[in-house]
Amino acid sequence: MAEPTPDPAELYRTVALIRGFEQRAVELVRSGVIRGGIHPYTGQEAVAAGSCAALRRDDVVTSTHRGHGHVLAKGADPARMMAELAGRSTGLNQGRGGSMHAADFGVGVLGADAIVGAAVPIAAGAAWAFRRGGSDRVALAYFGDGAVSQGVVLETFNLAALWRVPVVLVCENNGFATSMRTADTVAGSILGRAEAFGIPAAAVDGADPEAVYAATAEAVLRARSGAGPTLLECATYRFDAHHTWEHTARPRYRTEQEVAAGRARDPLEIQGARIPVERRARIDAETAALLDDAVRFAEAGPHPDPATALDHLYATGMRARAGAL
Ligand SMILES: Cc1ncc(C[n+]2csc(CCOP(=O)(O)OP(=O)(O)O)c2C)c(N)n1
C-alpha cells in the first residue's frame, strides 16, 4: 500500500522552507558568510518536497550540486545545514562538506555530490545492499538533465533494470545544464533512455508537489515490491542562476521574458493555493522564524580548527600521513 497522501499544508511547509532557506543562503553568499557561492534550488522545490514525502525516514536519497532542497526535504536540520554551507564546525558535516557535499545519514541523506551523475550509481548501490540484506528500504537518486548522457548513469540503468534494484530515478529536467539547453545536449529523449532498458518511465509535472508525490509513491511501491527501478522525468524550472557567480558575471543564455515565463508556474503558489489563507500565513511566519534562527546559529558557529583538516578523511579511522598538510 502507498503511504496516505500527505497533508497539503505540510507539503507547502516543505516548499516554503526550501524557498526561504535558499533566499537566506543567497544573502549569506552576498555578505561573505558563505564562501564560494551556491547553486540555488529556487523554483524546483516541488520535486524535493513531493518526492521525499513519498519516502520513509529509513529510505535514502543521493543528491546533486543543487542539493539543498533534497537535504531539507528529507528532514535534515535547517540550522545545521546552513552552518554547513557557512563552513562552520556546527554544520551537518562539521563544515567540511559545504553546499555540494552535505550529508546526513541520520535522516537518510547519503550525500549531495558535485560530480554530475554520481548520485545515480551511489543510490543504486545502496538500494542493492538493501535488497541483498532482505530489507524493503528503497533509495532515490536525484540528477539533472545534464547527467542523462553520462556513461555511469546509463550503465547503472542497465544493472538496476537487470537486477531489479529498488531505486527510484528522479531526473529534474530544468531545461539547462549550466548554460546549455537540454535540446542541444540530449539526443533522443530522457524517457526513451529508461525505456531502452525496460525501465518504466513517466513524465511528471515538476512544478506541482502533489503530482510529484503521486508519481514517486507509485515508483516507491514498485521498488519496495521487488519490481525494480522507475524513472521520473520531472519538468521544472530553475528560477535563479546556475550558480550565484552569475549574479555578478551575468551571462546571457536565457532572456528575461523566458525566465518570467518559467517563473509563472511557481510551486510555492501552486501548493499555497491549496490551503486556507490563514494556515498559509501561519506556516510562513513559523518558517521565517525557524530560518532566522538557522542563520543566527550558522553565523555563531566557529570555523573548524585548521589543525584538524586531515581528520575524518578515512572511514576506517586511518590517519593521513604526517606532513601531508
Ligand atoms: C562529471 C562532471 N562534469 C562536469 C561538471 C561541471 N558541471 C557542474 S554543474 C553542471 C551542469 C549540470 O546540469 P544538470 O545536471 O542539468 O543540473 P542543473 O545544474 O541544471 O541542476 C556541469 C556540467 C561536473 N560537476 N561533473
Side-chain angles (χ1 to χ4, degrees), residues 111-197:
D113 203 312
I115 300 174
V116 168
V120 178
I122 296 171
W128 180 236
F130 293 153
R131 184 155 166 225
R132 300 256 305 171
S135 153
D136 71 346
R137 296 164 73 190
V138 309
L140 183 151
Y142 295 104
F143 54 103
D145 45 284
V148 302
S149 303
Q150 291 283 54
V152 71
V153 170
L154 298 170
E155 288 168 34
T156 302
F157 285 8
N158 183 56
L159 273 189
L162 207 56
W163 295 350
R164 296 206 309 277
V165 173
V167 64
V168 179
L169 305 161
V170 176
C171 177
E172 297 190 67
N173 185 353
N174 62 15
F176 286 89
T178 314
S179 56
M180 302 273 284
R181 287 177 194 275
T182 313
D184 295 333
T185 54
V186 177
S189 71
I190 294 174
L191 294 180
R193 281 161 168 68
E195 284 155 4
F197 294 102

Side-chain angles (χ1 to χ4, degrees), residues 1-41:
M1 280 283 290
E3 303 286 320
T5 306
D7 178 355
E10 290 312 308
L11 268 184
Y12 173 77
R13 185 188 297 278
T14 309
V15 173
L17 173 72
I18 301 169
R19 177 69 54 93
F21 183 96
E22 292 298 58
Q23 281 163 350
R24 283 164 176 79
V26 167
E27 285 163 17
L28 292 182
V29 170
R30 293 206 171 114
S31 63
V33 172
I34 295 174
R35 315 255 176 101
I38 58 167
H39 299 84
Y41 190 65

Side-chain angles (χ1 to χ4, degrees), residues 27 50 76 79-80 96 126 130 135 141 145 158 160 166 183 187 202 204 216 250 252 266 304:
E27 285 163 17
R80 294 192 59 215
R96 290 147 196 271
F130 293 153
S135 153
D145 45 284
N158 183 56
V204 180
T216 312
R250 304 208 167 276
R252 268 171 293 178
D266 185 338

